[in-house]
Amino acid sequence: MNKIVFATNNKHKLDEIRQITAGKLEILSLSDINCHDEIEETGATLEENALIKAQYIKDKYGFDCFADDTGLEVEALNGAPGVISARYAGEHCNAQDNMKKLLHELKIGGSQMQGKTNRKARFRTVIALILDSEKHFFEGEIEGKIIEEERGTAGFGYDPIFQPLGYNETFAELGDDVKNRISHRALATNRFVEFLQ
Ligand code: IMP
């Protein structure tokens, strides 16, 4: 089976990508290659940030490698938090802080004063792959809506407030098996695996 390094320190992402690629790819984590660095995400887009992470590992360790960058794009907030999803509520905030801020922004109306009624949102993942020094990008997105308060305990990040289109449960209620079949990350990862095969 092909082995490839996934440039992330996020254990949830690692678990999800391992489940999505099970039987097709062997995913090495950063700790598997003895890398414990925090890679700074200084890009202005998901594509740039995904590439920064993959390039860092390629340059420092020489391994072919991929990275994922994900954003939650909320229509009534003109696409925010988007590329700053991880630090929406501030530099050292956690998922609770981010969700709280997002729910607050929608409650006070959002930038188009329609946050109370327009709850449309989507998750978008970009995977950057560096293979034999060539760069490739794969994208996946899922439409849905932001509910009024957190529901569910599975998943991570904004999962308790994101309900994918066609479901009555949030990602955090649907759990890993469903999320890893339909999610933004699953779609991007399946495209990436198809390319490698
Ligand atoms: P990054 O891709 O690591 O920069 O993540 C951006 C932000 O989105 C972080 O706050 C993550 O917790 C959150 N995030 C990334 N992927 C997901 C997901 O699949 N579900 C919910 N939140 C996510």
Side-chain angles (χ1 to χ4, degrees):
M1 207 176 348
N2 280 337
K3 281 187 193 180
I4 188 142
V5 176
F6 180 25
T8 188
N9 286 312
N10 182 325
K11 167 134 182 19
H12 297 285
K13 283 190 185 180
L14 183 64
D15 290 346
E16 286 190 3
I17 294 232
R18 279 188 168 145
Q19 184 174 348
I20 296 163
T21 61
K24 297 175 188 155
L25 275 183
E26 188 179 337
I27 306 292
L28 300 180
S29 68
L30 290 185
S31 53
D32 289 332
I33 62 162
N34 256 326
C35 170
H36 303 282
D37 303 352
E38 272 300 324
I39 308 169
E40 268 200 65
E41 299 182 15
T42 51
T45 61
L46 299 179
E47 286 77 3
E48 280 176 27
N49 277 339
L51 187 59
I52 285 170
K53 292 182 264 191
Q55 192 76 58
Y56 180 94
I57 298 304
K58 180 72 183 177
D59 292 347
K60 187 161 175 190
Y61 298 87
F63 295 121
D64 285 338
C65 165
F66 72 99
D68 130 335
D69 205 54
T70 296
L72 176 61
E73 300 172 344
V74 180
E75 195 170 275
L77 303 178
N78 290 330
V83 72
I84 62 149
S85 294
R87 46 188 192 284
Y88 189 43
E91 239 1 273
H92 301 290
C93 60
N94 59 25
Q96 292 295 328
D97 303 328
N98 284 332
M99 285 190 287
K100 199 168 154 207
K101 166 146 174 153
L102 183 55
L103 292 177
H104 175 73
E105 292 295 326
L106 286 175
K107 201 169 178 180
I108 60 173
S111 49
Q112 298 166 19
M113 294 312 289
Q114 51 167 254
K116 282 186 186 141
T117 48
N118 179 5
R119 312 287 295 195
K120 276 193 215 158
R122 64 177 185 177
F123 271 117
R124 198 158 70 85
T125 286
V126 174
I127 289 178
L129 166 70
I130 304 186
L131 192 65
D132 302 327
S133 299
E134 300 256 323
K135 299 168 188 135
H136 307 270
F137 294 89
F138 308 87
E139 195 174 318
E141 56 183 64
I142 184 164
E143 303 284 340
K145 68 174 186 181
I146 303 299
I147 60 161
E148 301 283 338
E149 77 272 299
E150 295 168 38
R151 290 202 322 246
T153 53
F156 68 102
Y158 296 89
D159 281 347
I161 58 170
F162 182 83
Q163 187 171 297
L165 196 64
Y167 292 82
N168 292 318
E169 298 90 5
T170 64
F171 266 157
E173 293 175 301
L174 289 168
D176 297 347
D177 285 348
V178 177
K179 183 182 176 195
N180 290 336
R181 259 193 302 109
I182 66 169
S183 78
H184 46 301
R185 184 163 295 105
L187 295 171
T189 305
N190 290 337
R191 289 177 180 138
F192 151 71
V193 170
E194 209 170 286
F195 170 82
L196 286 180
Q197 286 174 341

